[in-house]
C-alpha cells in the first residue's frame, strides 16, 4: 500500500497547500506555491500509473486531490504591457511579498513539469518573471528561461539566456560553475545541470512522455554561436537507440 503525508486544506476551488516555500527563497511562508502544488499533483497522479506496475494499491481519492491542486492561470498584473494570463507564483503574488524572485520557480511549470498551457501563457510567464528575477540569482535559472524561450520560438531571448546559462558563471582554469557570478557554492553542480538541460532539451526541443518522445528543435543559430548543426547522439528510449541531427537550411 502506498502511503503519503501531505497537509491539505479543502476549499471551494479545490485543495490548498499552505505555509510553504518554493524555490523562490525570498518568499516564505506562502500559500499555494505554483511549484509546490504542481509537484504534489504530479506525484499523486503518477501513482495511478506506477502502482499497478509493482502490484501496489493507492487511495482513489488521490486522483481527485491531484486535480484539485492544479494551478490555473490568472490575468497578468496591470501596467505590465502584457495581455492575457500567466501563472501566479503563489496566492497574493506579486503584492504580498513583492515581485522580486530569487530563482526559477513558476517558470518551471512549462519545463520540466510539462504543464499544459496556452503558448501565450507560457510566453507571459517568461516575460513577467525574467525581469523580476534577481540577476545575481543562481546560475541554473537562466537555462530554464532559455528552454522556455526556445519553446515559444522567441530565439532572441533564448539566445541571450542560453549563453547566460554558463557565461559568466563558468570560471577557469577548470571551467567549473559558481552559484553566482561573483562566487558562492563552487563547483555549483546545479548550474552545470541546468545548462545540460538547456543543451539536451532546449536545443533538441525534446520532450519525454511515458510512451513517446516529441521534438521541436530551434535552429542551431538560436544558441547564439556559429553552429550550423547540433547533434544529439546515442540516446535510448523504449529499447531503441536514437540520434537527432538539426541542421541550418
Amino acid at each position: 500500500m502506498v502511503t503519503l503525508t501531505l497537509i491539505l486544506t479543502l476549499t471551494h476551488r479545490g485543495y490548498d497547500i499552505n505555509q510553504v516555500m518554493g524555490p523562490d527563497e525570498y518568499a516564505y511562508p506562502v500559500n499555494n506555491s505554483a511549484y509546490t502544488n504542481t509537484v504534489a499533483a504530479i506525484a499523486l497522479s503518477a501513482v495511478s500509473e506506477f502502482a499497478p506496475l509493482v502490484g501496489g494499491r493507492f487511495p482513489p481519492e488521490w486522483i481527485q486531490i491531484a486535480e484539485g491542486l492544479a494551478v490555473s492561470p490568472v490575468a497578468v498584473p496591470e501596467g505590465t504591457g502584457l495581455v492575457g494570463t500567466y501563472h501566479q507564483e503563489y496566492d497574493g503574488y506579486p503584492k504580498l511579498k513583492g515581485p522580486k524572485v530569487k530563482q526559477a520557480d513558476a517558470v518551471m511549470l512549462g519545463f520540466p513539469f510539462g504543464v499544459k498551457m496556452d503558448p501565450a501563457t507560457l510566453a507571459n510567464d517568461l516575460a513577467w518573471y525574467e525581469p523580476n528575477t534577481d540577476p545575481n540569482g543562481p546560475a541554473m535559472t537562466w537555462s530554464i528561461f532559455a528552454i522556455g524561450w526556445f519553446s515559444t520560438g522567441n530565439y532572441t531571448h533564448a539566445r541571450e539566456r542560453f549563453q547566460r546559462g554558463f557565461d559568466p558563471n563558468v570560471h577557469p582554469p577548470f571551467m567549473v560553475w559558481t552559484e553566482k557570478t561573483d562566487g558562492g557554492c563552487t563547483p555549483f553542480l546545479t548550474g552545470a545541470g541546468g545548462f545540460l538541460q538547456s543543451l539536451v532539451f532546449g536545443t533538441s526541443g525534446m520532450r519525454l512522455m511515458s510512451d513517446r518522445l516529441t521534438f521541436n528543435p530551434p535552429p542551431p543559430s538560436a544558441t547564439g554561436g556559429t553552429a550550423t548543426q547540433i547533434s544529439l547522439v546515442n540516446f535510448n528510449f523504449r529499447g531503441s537507440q536514437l540520434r537527432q541531427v538539426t541542421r541550418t537550411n
Side-chain angles (χ1 to χ4, degrees):
M1 184 70 175
V2 180
T3 61
L4 174 72
T5 300
L6 185 65
I7 300 175
L8 300 168
T9 302
L10 179 61
T11 68
H12 68 281
R13 64 181 182 184
Y15 290 89
D16 292 351
I17 303 179
N18 297 327
Q19 300 293 292
V20 298
M21 179 176 70
D24 177 14
E25 297 168 6
Y26 294 163
Y28 174 80
V30 299
N31 296 339
N32 290 314
S33 156
Y35 179 98
T36 302
N37 282 29
T38 299
V39 170
I42 290 173
L44 289 167
S45 299
V47 173
S48 65
E49 180 179 355
F50 298 146
L53 299 178
V54 295
R57 295 178 294 112
F58 65 94
E61 60 266 25
W62 282 13
I63 303 304
Q64 178 186 353
I65 294 172
E67 293 172 350
L69 287 169
V71 179
S72 299
V74 300
V76 293
E78 295 181 358
T80 62
L82 301 176
V83 177
T85 61
Y86 86 129
H87 288 97
Q88 197 174 28
E89 187 183 296
Y90 51 81
D91 284 356
Y93 178 86
K95 292 182 178 180
L96 184 63
K97 295 180 180 293
K100 190 174 183 180
V101 176
K102 179 180 179 179
Q103 57 192 337
D105 191 302
V107 292
M108 286 195 279
L109 269 60
F111 180 90
F113 296 147
V115 172
K116 293 181 180 179
M117 67 181 80
D118 187 279
T121 299
L122 172 59
N124 280 342
D125 283 350
L126 299 166
W128 166 266
Y129 287 107
E130 185 173 283
N132 286 303
T133 298
D134 189 340
N136 295 314
M140 72 288 181
T141 290
W142 314 114
S143 296
I144 295 297
F145 277 104
I147 296 171
W149 286 123
F150 280 137
S151 299
T152 67
N154 189 323
Y155 301 140
T156 299
H157 280 292
R159 182 180 303 115
E160 295 171 353
R161 296 310 166 201
F162 182 80
Q163 294 284 325
R164 181 67 177 80
F166 61 90
D167 181 16
N169 288 79
V170 173
H171 301 280
F174 301 110
M175 307 309 289
V176 297
W177 267 260
T178 56
E179 181 180 11
K180 301 178 180 180
T181 57
D182 59 353
C185 179
T186 306
F188 190 53
L189 299 184
T190 311
F195 174 71
L196 288 175
Q197 294 281 313
S198 70
L199 189 63
V200 174
F201 294 98
T203 65
S204 71
M206 179 171 66
R207 296 296 181 268
L208 175 63
M209 314 295 178
S210 61
D211 61 346
R212 66 192 184 280
L213 297 175
T214 64
F215 296 87
N216 183 28
S221 60
T223 61
T226 59
T228 57
Q229 175 177 308
I230 295 178
S231 301
L232 189 62
V233 301
N234 297 332
F235 60 100
N236 296 273
F237 182 74
R238 298 178 70 90
S240 297
Q241 188 174 74
L242 306 172
R243 173 187 178 94
Q244 181 203 22
V245 179
T246 305
R247 298 186 179 92
T248 300
N249 292 330

